[in-house]
Amino acid sequence: MSTSILALAHNWAFAIFLIGTIGLCAFMLVAGHFLGSRAKARTKHVPYESGIDSVGSARLRMSAKFYLVAMFFVIFDVEAMFLFAWSVAIREAGWVGFIEAAIFILVLLAGLFYLVRVGALDWTPVRSRGKVKHPSEVIKISNRHPQ
């Protein structure tokens, strides 16, 4: 027998799974093409969700700070995962493990302080970063209306 037939005989279950998966995908695409509606209307291609007509474009520009927060979230989640694993094995790790965990936390805190220092966590737009006014210069607004 050839090597390809031997490989197929050895992995017959995976081959059947792969053929079945490809066949199912092809069937769904063909069935959707034949069973789908053919109506042409002006509002057919307008997105409609939850009973509300969409307003504006879906192409919104997201601030890079959104992604920065997402990265910080992932980083601190990974930190929490490592510390959880350390806390589970604290008796086996002993003082050496405690010192290593403390060094790990200190390195992460040093990185966080660096980010605060360089302004990576400053959410205020550059144009509104003026000098802070002295409290005597601030105009006090009252909710009282003169009558």
Side-chain angles (χ1 to χ4, degrees):
M1 280 205 264
S2 68
T3 57
S4 63
I5 294 175
L6 282 174
L8 185 61
H10 186 67
N11 297 321
W12 65 270
F14 180 70
I16 291 173
F17 171 76
L18 194 61
I19 291 169
T21 304
I22 292 171
L24 182 63
C25 290
F27 171 73
M28 288 191 295
L29 288 172
V30 170
H33 176 71
F34 287 118
L35 297 175
S37 64
R38 303 272 189 267
K40 303 271 191 225
R42 176 184 277 179
T43 59
K44 179 167 171 84
H45 299 293
V46 175
Y48 182 79
E49 186 167 333
S50 300
I52 301 172
D53 290 328
S54 62
V55 178
S57 173
R59 307 255 187 247
L60 299 175
R61 293 183 61 120
M62 298 291 288
S63 172
K65 292 180 181 180
F66 171 79
Y67 300 105
L68 182 69
V69 168
M71 285 189 287
F72 286 149
F73 178 76
V74 168
I75 288 170
F76 287 113
D77 269 3
V78 169
E79 173 192 359
M81 180 184 65
F82 282 135
L83 290 176
F84 178 74
W86 169 78
S87 68
V88 169
I90 190 166
R91 291 183 192 240
E92 292 84 13
W95 283 103
V96 175
F98 177 75
I99 292 170
E100 289 174 353
I103 291 171
F104 177 69
I105 292 171
L106 288 174
V107 167
L108 287 172
L109 281 175
L112 183 63
F113 287 138
Y114 172 76
L115 289 173
V116 169
R117 178 88 178 177
V118 298
L121 303 177
D122 191 10
W123 288 86
T124 310
V126 176
R127 64 180 177 271
S128 62
R129 281 188 207 151
K131 291 182 180 178
V132 177
K133 294 182 178 180
H134 191 269
S136 63
E137 299 174 18
V138 176
I139 300 172
K140 295 187 179 185
I141 299 174
S142 174
N143 288 336
R144 296 182 189 160
H145 297 287
Q147 295 187 16

